[in-house]
Amino acid sequence: MSQMPRQAALPKCPNCAEPVEPGDLFCGACGQDLSVASAPPQDHPTLAMTGPGTPGDGVDWPAPEPPGSGSGSPPPAHLPTDLPGTDSGETPLPGHQPAPERSDGAGVRFDRPAEPDEYPLQAPDPRLAAGAAAPGEPAQVCVACRAGRVDDDGYCENCGHAQPRERDHVERETGPLAAVSDRGLRHHRNEDAFAVGHTALPDGTPALMAIVCDGVSSATRPDDASLAASRVAGDTLLAALPRGTHPQAAMHEAIVAAAQAVNALAEEPATAREHAPHQNAPACTIVGAVVTSGLLVVGWVGDSRAYWVPTDRDAPPARLTEDDSWAAQMVAAGLMSEAEAYADERAHAITGWLGADAYELEPHTASFKPDRPGTVVVCTDGLWNYAETAGEMSEIVPPDAAARPLHCARVLVGHALDGGGHDNVTVAVVPFPVPPQGAGSA
């Protein structure tokens, strides 16, 4: 607030409040002597509005310059921050703490502390530092825009696109075999699962195994069912084969163990059933293959399949499994041709599966002794929907599938996605016979 200079005479009579002229010594109305200063009021303001500040008020105000003594330039302006201030609790405001007085030639005291050349930076929040990526660790990049960083919730900070979940696309290569599983283009989650591994028989000869499971979408928790079945079946095979169990018997044991694991998922509290009383128990299909030096064993329940594709494409390929499905029953009974049956909307209605509400568990197993090298393709209907016959499957399997199984699995999944990707797609590629130690994808 600006301060006004003191006036030489009062504009009104202090006794009767009548206007007076400048220079009058007495009031023309009541005769009051105007040359005598009136007594100050009883209440004192916190800050004097006129005249110089009283001692101790903390401000030395500059005295007005006498007329004609100035150089014509206005006195230097003073900012509000040049004056000390306090808040309502009489606490000095930031930057207004008392400082040693220093004055210049104009008699003005500066209470602002000297500003440093550099201001100190605020210390980083240790919580943020702990969550930061380690030096050298690449940040996950969005699969959609290829520019934004993916946050902890799985969404791109640039375009907001949801990133694939862990099971949306899975690739695994172990030894000379590999598998790939993909969510597809229409489903909101991947309900397929697989297990691949290799071990040795008691005589030291190598053995390869692959398990592929397809969750039944009409059942509850199909993704949990396929995951449980594939893991248990794979573990059972890897434990039974080194003990000397025949591969075909080991495959039967693996399917039975997988069925028990899926059945266990249906053992829910009674309160859980009250919220969804009409849902089917968790269920899935299963297909597996075991390859040794001279024997090929397959096992299955449901409509997931295994194909044999010889390296020499002049030799005929073969489908190694028969579907547990409505279409297969129609063909087996001679009621419809294969083309007619699989064109029917009921074609993929399965008649066998793993689950607590399955009619009866009937694991199918079969053994083969191919007379030439080739590749075993173990897959869900997400692939064979786009290559149903053995001839069609042979056409899309790369010629170097046995030497590059991971590449072959990627090609087959890509074929299904290019065809529409209406279902989850899972493929395991197993070379036959077992290639020499160290062979695999290039």
Side-chain angles (χ1 to χ4, degrees), residues 41-299:
Q42 295 300 320
D43 56 333
H44 299 277
T46 302
L47 179 65
M49 303 301 292
T50 58
T54 58
D57 66 358
V59 182
D60 293 337
W61 297 99
E65 297 182 2
S69 62
S71 60
S73 61
H78 300 285
L79 301 176
T81 52
D82 293 337
L83 307 178
T86 62
D87 60 13
S88 59
E90 300 298 330
T91 302
L93 297 175
H96 291 146
Q97 288 77 7
E101 297 184 6
R102 61 184 181 89
S103 59
D104 60 2
V108 179
R109 190 182 74 194
F110 294 91
D111 292 324
R112 292 184 65 186
E115 296 185 0
D117 295 335
E118 295 183 1
Y119 290 92
L121 298 177
Q122 182 179 2
D125 190 338
R127 295 170 297 179
L128 299 178
E137 180 180 346
Q140 184 180 355
V141 180
C142 174
V143 300
C145 67
R146 298 291 181 181
R149 191 181 70 87
V150 179
D151 60 20
D152 295 337
D153 294 331
Y155 290 86
C156 175
E157 295 179 347
N158 180 49
C159 67
H161 190 279
Q163 304 303 296
R165 288 168 288 190
E166 181 179 1
R167 288 183 63 179
D168 283 357
H169 186 87
V170 183
E171 297 185 357
R172 189 164 301 139
E173 184 178 25
T174 174
L177 73 162
V180 175
S181 182
D182 192 270
R183 177 174 59 92
L185 305 179
R186 302 295 181 90
H187 282 231
H188 68 284
R189 65 180 175 184
N190 190 358
E191 297 170 356
D192 289 355
F194 67 82
V196 291
H198 57 93
T199 185
L201 302 180
D203 61 359
T205 58
L208 311 179
M209 76 86 193
I211 297 291
V212 170
C213 296
D214 184 357
V216 178
S217 297
S218 59
T220 183
R221 299 165 60 192
D223 51 337
D224 293 339
S226 63
L227 185 62
S230 62
R231 286 179 174 176
V232 171
D235 292 343
T236 301
L237 285 173
L238 293 178
L241 293 173
R243 294 197 305 260
T245 306
H246 190 277
Q248 193 165 354
M251 179 63 72
H252 186 278
E253 293 178 6
I255 295 177
V256 172
Q260 294 172 349
V262 177
N263 292 348
L265 297 178
E267 299 175 0
E268 302 172 332
T271 54
R273 279 294 180 185
E274 293 177 0
H275 297 288
H278 303 296
Q279 284 189 341
N280 297 328
C284 69
T285 67
I286 186 170
V287 62
V290 173
V291 169
T292 63
S293 59
L295 184 65
L296 166 60
V297 172
V298 294

Side-chain angles (χ1 to χ4, degrees), residues 3-4 12 15 38 53 98 119-120 129 157 175 193 229 234 271 298 301 303 341-342 351 361 374 377 402 418:
Q3 302 292 322
M4 300 294 293
K12 293 183 180 181
N15 184 40
S38 58
Y119 290 92
E157 295 179 347
T271 54
V298 294
V301 174
D303 62 348
Y342 283 101
T351 58
L361 179 61
V377 177
D418 291 342

